[in-house]
Amino acid sequence: MANVSHPRGDISSHPDAPEMQARYARVLGGRDVALVDGPVFLLGLYCAVSPWILHFTTSQPSLVAHNLIVGIAIGLLALGFTRAPDRMYGLSWAMCAIGVWMIISPWIVGSSPDAGVIWNNIVIGALALLLGMVCAGTAARSAPRRP
């Protein structure tokens, strides 16, 4: 009878190792920024609930609806990055645009916002811009080169 056992700890000599490596690479599908999906989702969640956390629901009703909608949009982008990364990382630049919009939105959407509202939206916008640039940069680096 043939000895089919392998020494523990060394899988490189296993006959199925190349196939397992190929399957693992195929399942990941270029998920270089998998660690960014979670923070993007949490940022969207915070953006959606920030009017109630900072209590500007009565002083800025238009910004309440705005932050809720933008937060849901950021959260949906994060879920898309997780579910279909090959198709969604092209939308990383949308995260950058949302970040810039969040930075300038207190003065456009709001009516004489106070410093807390302004800083809240600036921080959310800066984080969205930063995370969007990380996603876009990684997606551009891992994209196949065309001759």
Side-chain angles (χ1 to χ4, degrees), residues 24 36 80 83 95-96 138:
Y24 181 73
V36 179
R83 283 297 288 161
M95 277 289 297
C96 297
T138 306

Side-chain angles (χ1 to χ4, degrees), residues 24-34 81 85-86 89 135 138-139 142-143:
Y24 181 73
R26 189 174 58 247
V27 167
L28 282 181
R31 300 264 307 145
D32 294 336
V33 289
F81 291 159
D86 296 338
Y89 280 123
C135 288
T138 306
S142 65

Side-chain angles (χ1 to χ4, degrees), residues 1-136:
M1 181 172 249
N3 181 11
V4 292
S5 63
H6 297 283
R8 289 199 174 272
D10 183 24
I11 196 168
S12 62
S13 63
H14 192 278
D16 294 332
E19 180 186 343
M20 289 187 290
Q21 289 173 343
R23 186 181 315 155
Y24 181 73
R26 189 174 58 247
V27 167
L28 282 181
R31 300 264 307 145
D32 294 336
V33 289
L35 295 176
V36 179
D37 298 349
V40 170
F41 183 75
L42 291 176
L43 180 69
L45 182 65
Y46 174 75
C47 181
V49 299
S50 65
W52 292 276
I53 292 174
L54 297 178
H55 303 291
F56 63 87
T57 55
T58 56
S59 64
Q60 298 290 328
S62 57
L63 274 174
V64 171
H66 171 268
N67 281 19
L68 179 65
I69 292 168
V70 171
I72 290 170
I74 292 172
L76 288 175
L77 276 174
L79 290 176
F81 291 159
T82 303
R83 283 297 288 161
D86 296 338
R87 290 182 276 170
M88 290 295 292
Y89 280 123
L91 289 176
S92 300
W93 293 108
M95 277 289 297
C96 297
I98 288 173
V100 170
W101 171 249
M102 282 300 291
I103 291 171
I104 63 173
S105 66
W107 296 282
I108 296 174
V109 177
S111 55
S112 64
D114 62 352
V117 174
I118 292 171
W119 278 109
N120 178 60
N121 281 17
I122 287 175
V123 168
I124 290 171
L127 287 172
L129 181 63
L130 177 71
L131 291 171
M133 290 176 74
V134 167
C135 288

